[in-house]
Each structure stands twice: as structure tokens, then as C-alpha cells.
Amino acid sequence: MTAQSKISTAFDPVATRADFPILSKSIYGKPLVYFDNGASAQKPRQVLDAMRDFSATEYSNVHRGVHYLSGKATDRYEASRRTVQKFLGAAHEDEIVFTKGGTEAINLVAYSYLAPRIQPGDEIVLSVMEHHSNIVPWHFLRERNGAVLKWVDIREDGSLDIEAVDAAITAKTKLVAITHISNVLGTVTPLAEIVARAHAKGVPVLADGAQGAVHELVDVQALDVDFYTLTAHKLYGPTGIGALYGKRKHLKGMRPFNGGGEMIREVTRDVVTYADPPARFEAGTPPIIESVGLAAAIDYLNGLDRAAVRAHEHDLLTYAREGVRQFNWLRVIGDAPGKASILSFETEGMHAHDLATVLDREGVAVRAGHHCAQPLMERFGVASTTRASFGLYNTRAEVDVMLEALAKARKILV
Amino acid sequence: MDDTLRELYQDVILDHSKHPRHFGKLVDATNTAQGHNPLCGDRVTMYLKVDASGRIADIAFEGKGCAISQASASLMTDMLVGRTVAEAEKLMGGFLHLVKGEDAGDLDPDDRERLDVMAGVSAFPMRVKCATLAWHTMKSALESGETAKTE
């Protein structure tokens, strides 16, 4: 690529690849083609360096000591919170709670916000395309509190009908829990509209942003969403940390989640009083180094033209979608308009696991299985699918490698 | 083509997976068990007819799964019909070692040869659970008829 074309393009995925050390790895002698970004994304050197440098020069526990390093580490941890706040467009930094991931963030809302508000028969509205992390916490409330799960079906192309969501929200609904982007279908839900419809009936909305925060430009204030969750490791950051955005008015009234250090105001032998949010929900030593990594990942993304990244990912999806049309034995599941760069498909006569094994030997990493979305698998009458999920560093040339590998798999397996 | 891949998906395996032996139900089964691989969603149901002398008179299985799991189930049913429960248990123990690349112990040479078609799985640690699902389910069916899981 010439210097000139590089200047004229807003985003150059090939140049970006140099930032990700793992992408130069060979798998069974073949260049790695990493198409499992939906499960977890690879990390740029900037994230790895930030975590190592922080650990080597500024690390200590946070909010505890009076010594120099304690102050430094606390500053960095709280700066990371502000980075997440700005990334999500939150009004206040205390609306960002660090968790160990997206799953914990949803469990926190289920336990601390919703459980005390549930009477037997109260309803929680969710779509059939939720990830298990946005299903099982609500099943807990069904089992323990008598909540009723109301499932909203999707259209055959994977899109969500806003009228179907609206119809599911009744006087008994206590929460709408919905994904922003389906991890299997790539469907982007009409979140702002869902929130508007739910609020019109006085119902709050939690959005699972595990994929949404990666592929969409999120503004929680514009969306007016009540809770939004993200996880760092899908966002080119480290494992072990995620975040919950919650409106101040909700967080203030919520009971603590875990009990332990840092989340208290005062502890006596007889009573305990709790700290204000977000500390109230951050018991124990938090993922401090990981918070620095998450902030570095967000800084890295902010350093790119995110609209151009989005366009690039969309181009990869379109290219791959067109490419698989040559295979009459392959059926794509999820073709919703405007969907994110996630391509799931089922293959006649070939099981997803056999296919993924052959692709792996060609260096192509895809996900095969139910993708922690069994109700969705049931909806489409499949036990499992193969999923290629594209990230910012993927290229059309890599899609070509996958297409060739798919043809090869057909020869071996059928 | 990659040799390890060829060994994994050799013709015998693909033949078993495409044309599984003993596929179906046994209406007069004495033992049944369901197996489930929660990681991939694959399921298998094993039906056995054990006669009064402790011999496996008939076997059938139903299920959906990958080529490895289907071939393994088919091969197993083919090999276990007509054997005593004790013989079956010995063979199962040997197989479970074999697919992990471990010493399969003292097996009959003919049995060893037939099982060897599954030995290629040992080069694919992520796929061992696919190969063992049917065997674990068979074990459950013989023991108590409870749900087997491979994780």
C-alpha cells in the first residue's frame, strides 16, 4: 500500500495488524486467520504495554493506603472509570461500576436492582436471541422470586420487530433485558426505540452490550437506556474486567452485591452501612491492572476512525456473505438489515465441529457450537452453527482463505 | 492434505458417520441412557438389551452430532453386540485410554485394530470429548441409566 492511499483512507486494517503481536503467529504452519472475535478479541501491543508498564511502575492496591503508589494506582483506576464513562457517553463517572465482565454486570442488576422489586408473577421481557448471560440471571429470579420470563420472538431474518417487543411489555413487566447486538446473528436491535416504548409504560431497560460496545458507537444518554453492560476482552482489552453503566437514580437505591472490603461506609459488630455507588458494588480488590488495560483499549479505539472501522467491518461481512453464496450446501442464519460483522451458518452434511476442525488446520479460527444461545438455536431448529466474527484487523484476503478452507472441508467431509 | 486430518477423517470414520450401524430405537430395551455434550449441544440416546446371562443381545442408538461422535457411536455398537457386560467394560476402558493417546492396555488384537481407526482423535485434544460421548453414555446405560456428560 502506498503512502498516498494510506492517507486517503480513514482506516487501514493492514497497518493496524502490526499492533497485534498474535496476528503474526502461524497455526500448523499456516498464517493465523482469527475470526473468533465475537468470543474474544486479540489485544494490541498498546494494551499489553500499558498493563505491563503500570504493573512495573505504578502498581499498588487502590483506595486503601496513604502511600505514594496507592495514590498513583487509585488515580489510574479512577481515570479508567472516566475513560469508560466517556466511551459510553455517561453523564457521571459514578454511573460506571467495574465488574469482572459482562456476565457479572448483568448478575449485579438482577440481584441488586431487580430481585427486591419482583413479586411472583411479575414479568421480565427478553428476546430469543439473548446470550445465556442475559438469560440465566433472569431464570434465577424465576426460580427464586417467581418472576415470569416473557420471550419475544424474532423474524426469520433475525431482525427484531419493535411491535412484538412493545406487545410483550405489560403492566406486570419489571424490566426489558435485551441485547444490543446478537452474538450469533449480528442483529443490531433498535435499542433507542425499545427504550422509548418501554419507558412509555414506565419500564426500565437493560442492554447487554458485550457485542454492541464493540461494533456500535454507544451513547447511553441518547439511548436513554437504564443499564448497559460491556466486557473488556471483546473490546481488544484484557479478560477479568467489564463494566456496568447504571443511571444514578437506579444505582443509588440498589442493595450491595458482594460483601467485603471497599464497599462499606462503616462496619461494627452489630451493623454495617454501605458506601455510595460505584464503590458499593465493588467489593474486594478490583481488577486494577485490567482497568488500565481496558482504558488503553478504549484509547486505542478512540485513536482510530471508529466510523471507518465500522465501515470496514461491514465491508468484510458483505464480502463474506457474497462469498458463501457459491456454496449451495451452506445456509446463513441471520440476515437482518444493518447487522454487525458476525456471520453464522449451518452446513448440510457437515457438523459445525468437523468443519471448525478442518478450518483450524488451515489456520482459520472460527467458533462452532451453540454460542451460549440455546433458545436461539432452538428457534432456528439447529443444534449448533459455525460462526465467523470479524474484527477491525481482519481483511478480505483472510475471508478468501476461509472460503477456500470451506471448499476444502466439503471435499474432506462429504 | 494434512496427514493428521486425513487420519482423523479417514474413510472408515466417514462411512460410519454417514451410514451409522445400529441407528434407531430398541422398543424392548432393558437399559437406556442419554448422553449430552453441553459444550456443543450434541445428544445421544443409547438403548441396550441385556439378556439373563449378562450378554448384550442388542444395541441401538439415536442422536445428532459431529462425524467423530457419530462414527464412534456406530463403531462401538458394532463392536459391543454379543459381548458380555464384563467384556464390554474392558473394551470401553481400553478405548477411553486410546483416544487420549494413552496405553490402551491388554486388548484383543482384532479389537485393537478396529479401535485404532479412532486413534487419530488423540492428535485433536479438543475433539476427544466428541469421540467419548457415546462410550460414556454406554457406561451409564450399563450402570444406572443416568445421563452421561462429556465436558
Side-chain angles (χ1 to χ4, degrees), chain A residues 351 353-354 357 361 370 412, chain B residues 2 4 9 38 40 42 67 127:
Chain A
H351 188 281
H353 274 110
D354 297 314
T357 291
R361 290 277 154 167
H370 55 59
I412 294 171
Chain B
D2 189 319
T4 45
Y9 291 112
C40 59
D42 287 354
R127 304 298 304 279

Side-chain angles (χ1 to χ4, degrees), chain A residues 194-257:
Chain A
I194 292 168
V195 173
R197 299 286 186 107
H199 285 183
K201 297 177 184 175
V203 175
V205 176
L206 171 140
D208 172 358
Q211 307 288 341
V214 182
H215 300 288
E216 292 290 304
L217 302 172
V218 179
D219 183 335
V220 290
Q221 289 187 79
L223 290 168
D224 200 24
V225 69
D226 296 272
F227 299 100
Y228 195 93
T229 64
L230 66 79
T231 191
H233 71 92
K234 295 188 203 289
L235 201 58
Y236 310 97
T239 53
I241 188 166
L244 167 69
Y245 160 78
K247 283 183 179 173
R248 206 182 233 178
K249 65 172 183 184
H250 295 314
L251 293 180
K252 261 169 66 181
M254 282 160 55
R255 66 178 177 178
F257 185 39

Side-chain angles (χ1 to χ4, degrees), chain A residues 99-161:
Chain A
T99 62
K100 70 178 185 188
T103 298
E104 190 180 62
I106 298 173
N107 277 275
L108 197 166
V109 175
Y111 180 85
S112 296
Y113 174 78
L114 201 57
R117 290 168 169 76
I118 290 285
Q119 298 297 320
D122 283 348
E123 296 169 354
I124 301 164
V125 169
L126 57 171
S127 85
V128 295
M129 63 181 157
E130 299 311 314
H131 186 282
H132 292 169
S133 61
N134 197 25
I135 296 175
V136 181
W138 315 121
H139 265 308
F140 283 178
L141 300 196
R142 179 187 58 75
E143 288 178 345
R144 298 166 188 173
N145 304 67
V148 174
L149 306 190
K150 279 191 80 175
W151 296 91
V152 178
D153 195 12
I154 52 174
R155 298 189 186 97
E156 202 55 33
D157 70 355
S159 62
L160 187 67
D161 179 359

Side-chain angles (χ1 to χ4, degrees), chain B residues 65-77:
Chain B
C66 63
I68 306 303
S69 73
Q70 294 297 290
S72 189
S74 171
L75 177 74
M76 179 190 73
T77 53

Side-chain angles (χ1 to χ4, degrees), chain B residues 19-150:
Chain B
H19 312 287
R21 327 308 193 238
H22 304 280
F23 194 86
K25 256 185 193 145
L26 275 190
V27 281
D28 53 349
T30 54
N31 300 46
T32 65
Q34 291 193 329
H36 178 216
N37 183 340
L39 293 175
C40 59
D42 287 354
R43 285 171 192 281
V44 65
T45 307
M46 205 60 71
Y47 304 91
L48 290 180
K49 198 172 148 188
V50 181
D51 67 20
S53 66
R55 194 167 291 276
I56 301 172
D58 205 357
I59 308 183
F61 79 98
E62 280 184 316
K64 262 189 160 181
C66 63
I68 306 303
S69 73
Q70 294 297 290
S72 189
S74 171
L75 177 74
M76 179 190 73
T77 53
D78 227 15
M79 290 181 72
L80 293 187
V81 168
R83 297 192 195 233
T84 65
V85 171
E87 287 165 352
E89 277 167 355
K90 186 184 169 195
L91 192 73
M92 290 192 284
F95 174 81
L96 294 175
H97 285 296
L98 184 84
V99 289
K100 289 179 195 158
E102 298 164 1
D103 181 9
D106 178 30
L107 288 177
D108 174 83
D110 287 345
D111 286 344
R112 176 65 204 233
E113 202 183 317
R114 293 190 73 188
L115 288 180
D116 257 346
V117 300
M118 295 300 302
V121 176
S122 65
F124 296 81
M126 306 300 287
R127 304 298 304 279
V128 168
K129 64 185 187 305
C130 309
T132 57
L133 176 62
W135 297 74
H136 284 303
T137 310
M138 172 61 78
K139 240 177 136 188
S140 301
L142 286 173
E143 284 161 6
S144 57
E146 281 177 4
T147 300
K149 278 189 183 147
T150 57

Side-chain angles (χ1 to χ4, degrees), chain A residues 36-56:
Chain A
D36 198 17
N37 297 286
S40 201
Q42 300 298 346
K43 292 91 181 70
R45 202 180 301 280
Q46 289 83 342
V47 167
L48 306 175
D49 288 353
M51 294 171 74
R52 190 196 54 209
D53 292 349
F54 169 72
S55 304

